[in-house]
Amino acid sequence: MTLIVRDYGFYEPTDEDNCTVFSYFCQAHDRFYRHGACGQGPHLLALHCDEHGLENMQPQPLMLMFPDGFEPPLSEAQLSSLQAEWDGDPT
């Protein structure tokens, strides 16, 4: 099982950020996450930015494809926003 971690202490990214280098950090195993090489058991993933450190992850395409498989789940507003973005609607 993989959980996406959002935390009030993490940096909240904005559209104005110029971040370019990201990786995933597994808090459960206290190391950077690499599929199949992080460790056994559940993973608690957070986005790690070279500039800001741990960041709250914006909704990702996989979250849209499998909205019930992520914790915390996407809100209806997040799902609608992603669907509109994918459909080319600039809502």
Side-chain angles (χ1 to χ4, degrees):
M1 176 170 60
T2 301
L3 300 179
I4 304 300
V5 177
R6 291 183 65 84
D7 188 283
Y8 292 108
F10 294 172
Y11 180 78
E12 191 64 47
T14 66
D15 290 338
E16 290 78 33
D17 288 337
N18 252 349
C19 307
T20 56
V21 181
F22 294 97
S23 53
Y24 295 103
F25 187 81
C26 180
Q27 291 189 309
H29 298 108
D30 196 29
R31 67 180 119 193
F32 286 98
Y33 176 81
R34 287 172 188 78
H35 183 70
C38 175
Q40 298 297 320
H43 300 285
L44 300 173
L45 294 187
L47 191 64
H48 184 273
C49 167
D50 275 1
E51 183 178 340
H52 299 111
L54 294 175
E55 286 193 352
N56 284 321
M57 197 180 307
Q58 298 298 327
Q60 304 291 305
L62 283 176
M63 293 177 173
L64 179 59
M65 292 169 59
F66 308 104
D68 296 330
F70 288 88
E71 293 290 338
L74 293 180
S75 69
E76 287 300 318
Q78 288 172 316
L79 270 175
S80 296
S81 172
L82 278 173
Q83 287 169 333
E85 185 178 316
W86 279 29
D87 292 340
D89 181 5
T91 332

